[in-house]
């Protein structure tokens, strides 16, 4: 029996890794997995060695503050990999942790497959030299990444974006949830709030989002709760917020009925676009982390939608611009009948053309199996 050790530390990685595992098992049901991940991966097989709720740290200050925990996890991970003796290591995004493990695993003679490249094209481009040395196979999901790596003489495999598969799987479901009935929503249209999956980013951004909503009495608002966080975490936010509901683990159901959305940066910006929901991107971090990142980041946008389209198709409100007044103003512009609504829908259609066909998980699974079957 072939054995794969998979590591991801974030909600989006958990989703994509789970679909990769399903695709691998469809092609070879005898593959065994040991992994660091979340509930999506658990739904495929077994339980994680470490759950993503213990692993998600973001920002320079936050990483430094949790450095002892991170180093302890790295030490434990190495011991666990040696004990399991996998045929290959599959790393899914989560670069701060995974690149350290990759370097160590390469020295141990363990084949290293990286699925979903770190965003080194945005910052820390010098990491490409490390990746060339320690990664045996890089599977990328964004069209421009193949060209980026090519500039450094590294051959990578473009598999397509796995979110296309995830959204298509949802749309094919015959047992979709009626959110209006299940969560006792009224008949008004819904505006979705996607404030992120980590406590620190939710604590920063959700209050700002909520403070912008008083001008929209004709709509009701629904927060997409992070699967790894309990409902009790959100209670302080909801206490003083009328007309706001919370749902957990039903983000795609929410996006399928949403009229518009306020979304933190990251994978959620692309998910929202694939559901053709007009959005405003809201990002705010600690002041020190922001100023460090501003000096290091080499791209013009923070949302995947704009990066892929190479223009500001969706408004990005970053740091001091991310305030209630600006959010209210931009949200009004993307509602049905408003100035930016139809134009954003056209941009989403162009986005789909660029991303192309689905099937990323199946293609990635084929590439993984090639490595462990050789």
């Amino acid at each position: 029996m072939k054995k794969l050790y998979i590591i991801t530390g974030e909600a989006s990685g958990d989703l994509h890794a789970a679909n990769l595992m399903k695709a691998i098992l469809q092609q070879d049901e005898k593959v065994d997995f040991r992994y660091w991940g979340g509930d999506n991966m658990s739904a495929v097989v077994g339980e994680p060695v470490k759950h993503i709720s213990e692993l998600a740290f973001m920002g320079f200050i936050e990483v430094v503050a949790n450095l002892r925990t991170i180093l302890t996890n790295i030490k434990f991970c190495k011991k666990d990999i040696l004990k399991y003796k996998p045929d290959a290591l599959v790393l899914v995004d989560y670069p701060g942790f995974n690149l350290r493990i990759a370097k160590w695993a390469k020295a141990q003679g363990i084949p290293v497959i990286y699925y979903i490249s770190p965003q080194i094209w945005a910052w820390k481009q010098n990491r490409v030299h490390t990746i060339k040395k320690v990664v045996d196979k890089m599977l990328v999901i964004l069209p421009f990444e193949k060209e980026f790596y090519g500039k450094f003489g590294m051959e990578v495999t473009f598999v397509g974006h796995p979110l296309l598969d995830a959204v298509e799987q949802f749309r094919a479901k015959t047992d979709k949830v009626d959110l209006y009935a299940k969560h006792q929503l009224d008949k008004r249209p819904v505006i979705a709030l996607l404030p992120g999956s980590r406590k620190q980013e939710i604590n920063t951004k959700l209050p700002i989002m909520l403070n912008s909503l008083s001008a929209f009495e004709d709509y009701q608002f629904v927060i997409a709760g992070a699967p790894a966080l309990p409902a009790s975490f959100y209670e302080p936010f909801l206490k003083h917020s009328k007309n706001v509901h919370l749902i957990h683990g039903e983000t795609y159901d929410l996006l399928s009925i949403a009229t518009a959305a306020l979304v933190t940066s990251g994978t959620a910006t692309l998910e929202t676009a694939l559901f053709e929901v007009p959005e405003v991107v809201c990002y705010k971090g600690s002041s020190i982390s922001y100023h460090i990142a501003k000096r290091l980041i080499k791209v013009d946008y923070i949302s995947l939608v704009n990066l892929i389209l190479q223009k500001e198709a969706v408004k990005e409100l970053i740091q001091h611009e991310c305030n209630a007044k600006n959010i209210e103003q931009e949200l009004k512009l993307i509602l049905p009948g408003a100035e930016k609504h139809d134009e954003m829908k056209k941009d989403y259609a162009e986005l789909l053309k660029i991303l192309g066909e689905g099937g990323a998980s199946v293609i990635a699974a084929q590439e993984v199996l090639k490595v462990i079957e050789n």
Side-chain angles (χ1 to χ4, degrees), residues 113-180:
I113 304 164
Y114 215 118
Y115 179 43
I116 306 178
S117 166
Q119 294 179 353
I120 57 172
W121 34 265
W123 69 306
K124 291 191 177 180
Q125 290 193 3
N126 61 323
R127 276 180 169 177
V128 73
H129 303 295
T130 299
I131 289 172
K132 281 179 70 174
K133 292 176 184 175
V134 304
V135 173
D136 296 290
K137 183 174 281 289
M138 173 64 76
L139 307 176
V140 302
I141 64 172
L142 295 170
F144 57 79
E145 289 178 320
K146 189 172 178 67
E147 181 183 351
F148 171 81
Y149 276 102
K151 291 177 182 177
F152 295 91
M154 183 174 176
E155 184 67 31
V156 302
T157 303
F158 173 61
V159 299
H161 206 294
L163 277 184
L164 292 170
D165 298 337
V167 172
E168 187 55 39
Q169 287 170 14
F170 171 82
R171 285 181 168 147
K173 283 172 57 176
T174 56
D175 58 342
K176 291 187 182 70
V177 176
D178 181 349
L179 289 190
Y180 282 92

Side-chain angles (χ1 to χ4, degrees), residues 297-311:
I297 288 176
K298 301 179 184 296
V299 291
D300 296 327
Y301 308 108
I302 64 168
S303 70
L304 284 174
V305 175
N306 292 342
L307 283 166
I308 295 168
L309 287 170
Q310 298 183 357
K311 68 175 185 178

Side-chain angles (χ1 to χ4, degrees), residues 80 328 372:
D80 198 56
E328 177 186 328
I372 63 175

